[in-house]
Structure formats: C-alpha cells, structure tokens
C-alpha cells in the first residue's frame, strides 16, 4: 500500500523520501484537484493569446504567451516533482497545497492582464504565494529527511531568493521587464540542477510520467473546448457554417492524433537518470505550450472564416500549423532515443511536421489537412508497430 493511501487522515507525518520503486504509485486525489485548478490558468492564457493574434498584435502576444506560460508550467512542474518524492498527504501538506492552489487561482486571474498589457503584478503575487509554500515544504523535508537535507535546503534557499527577485522586478521600469524575466527564469531553471547535485531526490518514474500525461490532457482539452465553442458560435450566427464545421473536423482529428502520439511513448523508459529526466521535464515546456496554442490557433481560424479579423489566410493558418508541427517535433525529440524505433518509423514525425508546415499555404483548408496528416502519422505508426511485432 502506498504511503499516501494510509496517511490521508494523519495530522502529521515526518516528511521522509518516498521510495522511487514504490508499487502502484499513481496520482493522488489532491494532485488531480491541483491540476484542475490549473485549467483556469491555461484557459486564460490560451484565450488571451488568441485575442492578441486577432487584434493584430501577434509578436506581442507570442512574447507574452511565452512568459505567462512559463510561470504556469514552472509552478505546476515544481509541485509535481516535489510531490513525487515527498507526498505525505498529512494535514500540513494538504494545507500548504491549498495555499499553492490559491496562488494558482491568482495566477489565472492575472494572466490576461499580463499577456495583453504586460502587467505582471497579479500573476507575480500568485506565483510568489505558490513558491513560498514550496519553500515551506522543502524546509519540512530538510527537518526530517536528514539524508537529503542539503538538497532540500538548496531548494528552499534558491526558491526564496528568486521570489525576492520576482517582487523586486515589479518595481523596475517596463523596458527592463522582459530582460529581468529571462534572468529570473534562468535562475529558476538552475535551482533544481544545483540542488540535485548534492543528492538526488527520489522521484518516481511512473508517477512523473502519469502526472505529465495528465497535464497534457488538460492542455489538449483546451483545443477540444475551442472546437466546441467554434461550432456553437457558427450555429448561433449562421456565418460560414460549412467552413467552420470543416475546421472543427480538422481540429478534432488533430487533437486526437496528438493525444495518440503523446501516449504512444514509453515515458518511464526515458526517465532512467537524473540528467535525462531533467531534460525530458524541461522539454515539456514546449510540448505543453504548443498544445495549448493549438486551441488558440483553432479559434483564430474560426474567427477568420467568419470575417471577425483582418489576418491573411496564410497568417491565420500559421497560428494553427506552427504549434502542431512544434508539438510533433518536440515529442519526437524527447522520446526518440528511449523508444528505439526502426529507421523508417523514426523519420516519420519530422516529415509529418514539415508536411503540416506546408499546409499553411493551403489557406482555409490548412486545419483540415493538418488533421489528415496527423492522422496519417498515427496510422503509419500503428502499421509499423504491427509489423515489428510480427517480425519478433
């Protein structure tokens, strides 16, 4: 029985490292609730990104989206890896997680203001609340897990110093906002590298793979919602209903294929060492951001065919094809060594990504053709896997 399952009613338990080979280690109900609260932040980021594109501020929107999504992803990622190693599920742990959830909701509330107007005040305070709760968690681990105390203290000190930096950043002139954000973001990325050098924490490969898979479902779900809202809008206004339905069909084909592609990978095999796991975990920033951007691109293309903005056909198509191609390429790069596919199968994803990019120039049919190409990619993978199984 897992530690979490029999500790759910405990007032307090020593925060000791969980065994990395623990049987039946799955996401807890609290972790699922935590993810649910991040749905709001992802949805707000995707919606604000779409608004910026439709308003003709594509580059501004892209920069804001990259910065905002980093804050969302990094806050989620840090909790996920910590919970994999130190989930005690006692009362203090739950209360501190509740504080982090509150911070996540503040982040969601400030996402639109940050992305559209460059005002990071609310999202920064929400982020800092989440991260200070993580400092408390790491200090708890340092007090009870003597073996990994150096790592826990490095995490606590590193995170605390950076939170001071994030608050100081709010006082800087607007012109220095992006540069200071990048510097602090690099610092955030460096903390786990520094802390894990002391002694590695005991994260669980299967648990981490499941948690990342669940967040992938969240961001892909935003695209499903975008398709549903697009169809509803077309039905309400009776504008270009046929074209909208074609886009919705292409969107659903794409999302289903992206889901299939992601979950066809054997992620735990990739998480064998600290260095490969860290590269895999960091690389998911692109996977998650691209998946959420697919929904925004889908909404942009619906708005385009219903004449709600002045983007060109190619510009509208690119808002969809670029994130899809990026998702396919990044998943391929993160898993190609662990999967050990045959030579022909290994070249399929990059070829499919290039084909998706080529559909950008098919104008209003780009979304449908992208869905078809993504579906063909999955079909060829299935056939290749079947042939390999027969040959064995």
């Amino acid at each position: 029985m897992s530690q979490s399952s029999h500790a759910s009613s405990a007032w307090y338990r020593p925060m000791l490292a969980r065994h990395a080979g623990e049987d039946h280690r799955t996401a807890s109900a609290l972790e699922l609730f935590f993810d649910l609260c991040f749905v709001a932040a992802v949805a707000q980021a995707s919606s604000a990104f779409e608004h910026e594109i439709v308003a003709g501020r594509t580059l501004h929107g892209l920069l804001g989206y990259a910065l905002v999504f980093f804050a969302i992803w990094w806050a989620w990622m840090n909790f996920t890896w910590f919970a994999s190693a130190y989930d005690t599920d006692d009362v203090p742990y739950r209360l501190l997680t509740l504080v982090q959830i509150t911070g996540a909701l503040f982040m969601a509330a400030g996402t639109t203001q940050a992305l559209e107007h460059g005002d990071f005040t609310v999202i920064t305070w929400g982020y800092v609340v989440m991260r200070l709760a993580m400092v408390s968690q790491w200090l708890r681990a340092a007090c009870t897990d003597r073996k990994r105390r150096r790592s826990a203290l490095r995490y606590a000190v590193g995170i605390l110093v950076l939170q001071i930096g994030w608050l100081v950043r709010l006082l800087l002139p607007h012109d220095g906002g992006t540069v200071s954000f990048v510097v602090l973001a690099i610092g955030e990325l460096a903390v786990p590298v520094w802390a894990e050098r002391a002694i590695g924490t005991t994260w669980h490969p299967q648990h981490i793979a499941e948690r990342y898979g669940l967040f992938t479902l969240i961001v892909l779900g935003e695209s499903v919602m975008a398709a549903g809202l697009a169809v509803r809008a077309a039905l309400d206004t009776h504008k270009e209903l046929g074209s909208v339905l074609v886009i919705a069909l292409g969107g659903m084909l794409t999302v289903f294929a992206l889901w299939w592609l992601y979950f066809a990978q054997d992620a735990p095999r990739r998480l064998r060492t600290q260095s490969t796991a860290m590269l895999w975990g960091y690389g998911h920033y692109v996977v998650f951001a691209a998946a959420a951007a697919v929904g925004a691109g889908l909404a942009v293309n619906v708005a385009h065919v219903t004449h709600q903005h002045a983007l060109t056909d190619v510009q509208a198509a690119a808002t969809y094809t670029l994130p899809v191609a990026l998702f396919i390429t990044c998943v391929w790069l993160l898993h190609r060594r662990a999967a050990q596919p045959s030579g022909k199968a290994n070249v399929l994803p990059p070829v499919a990504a290039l084909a998706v990019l080529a559909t950008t120039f098919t104008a209003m049919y780009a979304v449908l053709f992208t869905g078809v190409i993504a579906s063909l990619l999955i079909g060829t993978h299935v056939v290749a896997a079947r042939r390999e199984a027969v040959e064995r």
Side-chain angles (χ1 to χ4, degrees):
M1 182 180 294
S2 69
Q3 182 181 6
S4 179
S5 61
H6 61 68
S8 58
S9 60
W11 282 96
Y12 175 81
R13 293 178 62 87
M15 186 166 274
L16 301 176
R18 299 182 65 156
H19 194 279
E22 181 181 339
D23 293 333
H24 310 297
R25 181 74 167 98
T26 59
S28 67
L30 183 59
E31 288 175 316
L32 296 176
F33 183 56
F34 183 85
D35 288 358
L36 181 63
C37 294
F38 268 82
V39 172
V42 173
Q44 289 294 325
S46 179
S47 177
F49 184 36
E50 172 205 343
H51 182 269
E52 288 296 283
I53 295 174
V54 170
R57 298 187 293 269
T58 303
L59 293 179
H60 178 270
L62 183 60
L63 176 61
Y65 178 73
L67 300 182
V68 167
F69 205 90
F70 175 86
I72 296 171
W73 161 75
W74 190 246
W76 174 89
M77 178 173 163
N78 276 252
F79 170 80
T80 296
W81 286 82
F82 177 86
S84 188
Y86 287 107
D87 181 7
T88 57
D89 200 25
D90 58 2
V91 171
Y93 180 87
R94 288 188 173 191
L95 291 177
L96 285 171
T97 303
L98 177 61
V99 172
Q100 291 179 270
I101 289 173
T102 302
L105 295 178
F106 270 96
M107 287 179 64
T111 294
T112 300
Q113 195 71 11
L115 202 155
E116 295 183 1
H117 305 290
D119 184 357
F120 281 79
T121 303
V122 175
I123 198 173
T124 296
W125 279 105
Y127 180 81
V128 169
V129 166
M130 293 192 67
R131 302 296 278 146
L132 290 180
M134 280 304 308
V135 171
S136 300
Q137 296 280 37
W138 280 115
L139 289 176
R140 279 195 67 193
C143 290
T144 53
D145 188 1
R146 294 180 178 272
K147 182 178 180 181
R148 296 169 181 82
R149 177 171 294 177
R150 286 181 61 201
S151 291
L153 288 176
R154 285 187 179 189
Y155 272 111
V157 171
I159 294 171
L160 181 60
V161 169
L162 285 166
Q163 300 327 294
I164 297 173
W166 287 114
L167 294 178
V168 171
R169 177 181 176 273
L170 296 178
L171 304 177
L172 298 177
H174 182 71
D175 292 341
T178 302
V179 174
S180 60
F181 190 105
V182 172
V183 171
L184 289 167
I186 292 174
E188 293 276 10
L189 294 172
V191 168
V193 178
W194 173 56
E196 295 289 337
R197 283 182 178 176
I199 181 170
T201 52
T202 58
W203 45 269
H204 194 288
Q206 283 75 23
H207 177 248
I208 288 294
E210 181 190 21
R211 298 290 291 115
Y212 272 71
L214 291 171
F215 201 77
T216 301
L217 290 177
I218 288 176
V219 291
L220 288 177
E222 293 302 317
S223 298
V224 175
M225 183 179 298
L229 292 175
V231 174
R232 189 186 72 177
L235 291 174
D236 290 343
T237 61
H238 302 288
K239 287 185 177 181
E240 303 291 343
L241 181 58
S243 298
V244 170
L245 291 177
V246 169
I247 291 175
L249 174 61
M252 291 307 300
L253 286 174
T254 303
V255 173
F256 186 67
L258 297 185
W259 166 83
W260 194 314
L261 177 67
Y262 184 88
F263 287 97
Q265 314 303 323
D266 187 3
R269 290 184 59 186
R270 192 74 177 103
L271 305 176
R272 290 178 175 178
T273 66
Q274 187 69 45
S275 58
T276 56
M278 195 164 291
L279 179 62
W280 184 88
Y282 283 11
H284 268 73
Y285 166 72
V286 179
V287 174
F288 294 154
V294 169
L298 190 63
V300 167
N301 277 270
V302 171
H304 180 67
V305 298
T306 54
H307 311 294
Q308 295 180 29
H309 59 69
L311 293 178
T312 66
D313 291 345
V314 172
Q315 288 173 336
T319 64
Y320 187 79
T321 58
L322 287 175
V324 172
L326 195 59
F327 182 97
I328 293 172
T329 302
C330 193
V331 170
W332 169 67
L333 289 174
L334 290 178
H335 291 278
R336 63 194 183 102
R337 291 183 180 178
Q340 295 179 343
S342 62
K344 293 182 179 179
N346 190 40
V347 78
L348 289 175
V351 170
L354 290 174
V356 167
L357 292 177
T359 65
T360 304
F361 302 99
T362 61
M364 62 184 298
Y365 295 104
V367 176
L368 178 61
F369 289 162
T370 296
V372 171
I373 291 170
S375 300
L376 289 174
L377 172 62
I378 299 305
T380 53
H381 265 297
V382 171
V383 172
R386 182 182 178 89
R387 287 179 178 177
E388 288 183 6
V390 170
E391 291 175 357
R392 291 175 185 173

